[in-house]
Amino acid sequence: MRKLGIIGGMSWVSTATYYDRINRIVQKRAAPMASAPLLIESLDFCQLYALREERDWQRAASVLIESAKRLEGAGAEGLIIGANSMHRLFDDVAASVNIPILHIAEYVGIAMKRAGVTSAALLGTRNVMTESFYRKRLVAHGIDLLPPNLEYVEMLDRIIYDELMVGKVTREAERTLKTIITNKAQEGASAVVLACTELDLVVDVDANVLPIFDSTRIHCEAAADWILHEEAEG
C-alpha cells in the first residue's frame, strides 16, 4: 500500500470523516485487520476561514504549501486536500511538491461521466459555486452546470460556516437543503454535486429526489483506490 498524506484544510469534522471512510474502504478491500497508511495534518481553520481578498488567498496558499511540503518530507507518496474550496489553490500547492495530489473535482467529474450525467446543480461554499476553478473541472467531463442562485449561495454559506464546520446539525438546515435540491430538480438538474465535505451531514445522499454525487465519498474512494494501487482511468 502507498502512503497518503491528508491536508485537513477546513474543519476537523471533515478531516475525521476522511480518516474514517478511507480506513473502512481499505479494511473492506484489503484485509479485516488492514488500516490505511495515512499522514494527517489537521490545519487550524481560523487561518483559512472566510477568505475573500486575494491577499487572504495568498496567505492560505502559503499555509497549504507548507503543509504539503511537511507531509512530503514525512514520507507521503501522494496527497489529498480535504476541502473543496481549498482546491482554488490546487495548482500552487501541486507545484510546490514532487508527489501527486488527487483533485477532488476531477474524481467527481469522472464519477458523473461514468454515470451518464449531463446536467447538474453544484452546491457548496460561495467560491466553489461562483468561481471557475471547480466548475471547469466538471464541465471538462461533459457536465452542464446550472448557474448559481445567489440566494442559495448566501443560505449555504451560512449553514456551512456557522453550523456544519463546528459540528452543528439542525432540522432547519436539513429542510433548507431538501428545498434547494427539489427546486434544482424543477429547474432541470438531473443530479446534485455536494461540493462541500460537510454537506452530507444534512443531506440524505442515498435517498433523495435527485442522484447525489457526494464529493467526500468520491474523494475517499479515489484515495483508497490510490493507496491500494487500484486507480481507474476516467
Side-chain angles (χ1 to χ4, degrees):
M1 291 193 283
R2 290 184 287 201
K3 189 176 291 184
L4 182 70
I6 300 176
I7 302 173
M10 293 293 255
S11 73
W12 63 264
V13 178
S14 63
T15 304
T17 299
Y18 270 89
Y19 179 78
D20 180 76
R21 285 196 174 152
I22 293 170
N23 269 296
R24 288 183 186 279
I25 297 167
V26 168
Q27 180 186 39
K28 184 177 180 180
R29 293 192 197 166
M33 298 300 289
S35 55
L38 299 173
L39 295 170
I40 301 173
E41 180 152 342
S42 183
L43 300 177
D44 180 5
F45 182 50
C46 287
Q47 297 179 292
L48 304 169
Y49 173 69
L51 306 174
R52 296 289 171 87
E53 303 295 328
E54 194 56 38
R55 64 177 180 272
D56 296 330
W57 282 106
Q58 289 170 3
R59 174 172 48 81
S62 67
V63 172
L64 264 66
I65 286 168
E66 290 306 313
S67 177
K69 287 179 177 178
R70 283 191 294 270
L71 289 166
E72 182 181 28
E77 298 168 80
L79 296 173
I80 57 172
I81 301 170
N84 287 271
S85 61
M86 289 296 115
H87 280 70
R88 186 183 196 265
L89 306 170
F90 179 88
D91 291 342
D92 293 335
V93 180
S96 72
V97 293
N98 297 307
I99 54 177
I101 305 180
L102 312 184
H103 196 296
I104 193 169
E106 193 64 27
Y107 288 97
V108 171
I110 290 170
M112 296 177 82
K113 185 176 181 180
R114 282 184 187 147
V117 173
T118 56
S119 66
L122 183 63
L123 304 183
T125 56
R126 181 187 307 275
N127 72 317
V128 167
M129 290 179 70
T130 62
E131 296 181 32
S132 65
F133 72 93
Y134 199 99
R135 301 176 73 89
K136 69 183 181 183
R137 292 269 181 170
L138 302 185
V139 170
H141 287 281
I143 313 300
D144 182 26
L145 294 173
L146 270 63
N149 177 312
L150 294 182
E151 182 182 353
Y152 293 162
V153 169
E154 296 295 335
M155 287 181 186
L156 288 166
D157 239 31
R158 182 190 61 75
I159 290 169
I160 291 165
Y161 285 115
D162 296 349
E163 298 178 14
L164 301 182
M165 288 188 178
V166 294
K168 181 181 178 183
V169 177
T170 67
R171 291 286 296 166
E172 181 184 355
E174 291 173 352
R175 285 193 292 268
T176 298
L177 266 297
K178 193 172 233 181
T179 298
I180 290 173
I181 291 170
T182 300
N183 289 344
K184 289 300 180 184
Q186 293 169 351
E187 291 171 18
S190 59
V192 165
V193 179
L194 294 188
C196 167
T197 50
E198 289 87 7
L199 274 178
D200 65 346
L201 296 171
V202 288
V203 174
D204 188 340
V205 174
D206 298 312
N208 217 293
V209 66
L210 287 175
I212 304 292
F213 288 82
D214 179 9
S215 60
T216 312
R217 287 191 185 187
I218 293 167
H219 210 197
C220 289
E221 286 278 352
D225 288 345
W226 185 87
I227 288 168
L228 296 168
H229 299 260
E230 294 175 0
E231 307 101 299
E233 295 297 324

